[in-house]
Amino acid sequence: MKTLKKYIYEMLSSLNTEKMIERIQNIFPKENIKSIEIIEGSSKELKCIQIIFYKKRYFYLREPKLIKLLKTFNYLVTLSQDTEDGYIVYIDPEFSDSVSELIYEDYKGIVYHLCRTEDLDKIKKSGIRPKSPNNYRKYSPKAFYIGGANENEIKESIEYLIKDMWEYDKTDRTVLKIDLNKHKNIPFYADTAAGNEINLCFYTRVLVPKEYIEVDKKLTKFANGLLT
């Protein structure tokens, strides 16, 4: 007998991203949309969708048909931003593929978290808590991590985050190493907007206790060397 969680996931997976795009295109006039495409992330079925409208006024977040579509299939508008190329909107699935097996087997239960150094004392006291939506992307509370099968992969992910994702944020960073082998029940999921590399970013909605966390001085030095 299927569990409710498995039934819900299978139901959501039955709507693949291509069908989601078709439904979105039926809501907004095609002459208002500059482009609509899938961000090829690590999720197999449900992926991030990027829509570029010619103008901001062409996107109606409160459009009743869009609200119904997003609620029915648990998608979220996670980013909307006015740029020189047009008004960019990201739509992410609330549920994505589990990467727990990858983390506990290929990564040997070791993951990394980049925090602002100013937040380090708080993390030492209470662990890494999932955070509510921020100004860049809007999502239910999550905490994001990176990993890799070797040091080079981990450094590549750190470099991408600092030089590309946080290009204009030169805040001093600390790299935290998290050993999950004492508690292998923390679930992790693919970040569908992170791109092709699964090690680039994944998340959990669960608190990671302070006892599992230590500062990785070598990677912290590497990370802050990229800020100059």
Side-chain angles (χ1 to χ4, degrees):
M1 185 175 179
K2 293 180 181 178
T3 63
L4 178 60
K5 183 177 180 182
K6 186 174 181 181
Y7 173 78
I8 291 173
Y9 181 79
E10 288 181 356
M11 181 188 73
L12 295 174
S13 295
S14 67
L15 179 79
N16 63 36
T17 312
E18 287 78 10
K19 289 180 182 178
M20 188 71 178
I21 287 177
E22 288 177 13
R23 298 196 181 198
I24 292 170
Q25 288 173 321
N26 290 332
I27 294 174
F28 298 100
K30 61 182 179 181
E31 61 267 21
N32 293 351
I33 297 176
K34 185 176 182 179
S35 67
I36 181 168
E37 61 183 0
I38 297 169
I39 302 299
E40 291 293 341
S42 53
S43 185
K44 296 175 184 177
E45 296 294 338
L46 303 177
K47 300 178 181 179
C48 177
I49 299 169
Q50 175 188 272
I51 312 170
I52 302 180
F53 292 87
Y54 284 105
K55 296 182 180 179
K56 182 178 179 179
R57 69 174 184 268
Y58 293 155
F59 175 65
Y60 311 105
L61 183 58
R62 293 189 177 132
E63 162 63 47
K65 290 182 181 178
L66 178 64
I67 292 173
K68 183 178 180 180
L69 181 64
L70 296 177
K71 283 186 176 180
T72 300
F73 296 102
N74 281 285
Y75 267 76
L76 299 171
V77 174
T78 58
L79 171 66
S80 52
Q81 187 175 22
D82 213 357
T83 71
E84 291 182 358
D85 294 326
Y87 193 67
I88 299 178
V89 175
Y90 278 82
I91 298 177
D92 286 282
E94 177 71 7
F95 297 93
S96 57
D97 293 339
S98 170
V99 294
S100 297
E101 184 176 342
L102 173 87
I103 289 168
Y104 291 114
E105 293 186 10
D106 293 14
Y107 298 170
K108 310 302 182 186
I110 304 296
V111 298
Y112 296 84
H113 177 79
L114 274 71
C115 73
R116 288 183 170 87
T117 300
E118 63 193 40
D119 295 332
L120 184 58
D121 287 342
K122 188 187 300 182
I123 290 173
K124 286 181 176 180
K125 291 178 181 177
S126 57
I128 301 173
R129 294 182 178 276
K131 291 185 177 180
S132 297
N134 61 17
N135 293 327
Y136 172 64
R137 290 174 63 192
K138 298 177 176 65
Y139 44 74
S140 57
K142 300 174 183 177
F144 290 87
Y145 299 82
I146 59 172
N150 54 59
E151 187 176 291
N152 286 337
E153 285 189 2
I154 296 163
K155 284 184 174 180
E156 285 174 8
S157 294
I158 292 172
E159 185 169 359
Y160 176 83
L161 288 175
I162 289 177
K163 288 194 171 183
D164 293 285
M165 296 294 289
W166 303 331
E167 181 181 0
Y168 302 107
D169 184 354
K170 301 301 181 181
T171 308
D172 194 60
R173 304 278 172 176
T174 297
V175 179
L176 303 176
K177 180 179 179 181
I178 297 96
D179 187 344
L180 300 165
N181 288 294
K182 295 178 181 178
H183 182 27
K184 295 188 177 183
N185 294 322
I186 296 178
F188 287 88
Y189 303 93
D191 179 16
T192 54
N196 289 321
E197 296 299 328
I198 202 167
N199 61 291
L200 187 59
C201 206
F202 38 83
Y203 68 86
T204 184
R205 294 188 178 93
V206 177
L207 167 73
V208 171
K210 62 183 180 180
E211 291 79 12
Y212 304 171
I213 302 167
E214 65 179 73
V215 173
D216 191 307
K217 293 181 180 179
K218 183 179 178 180
L219 289 176
T220 295
K221 183 178 180 180
F222 170 78
N224 288 314
L226 298 170
L227 293 172
T228 56

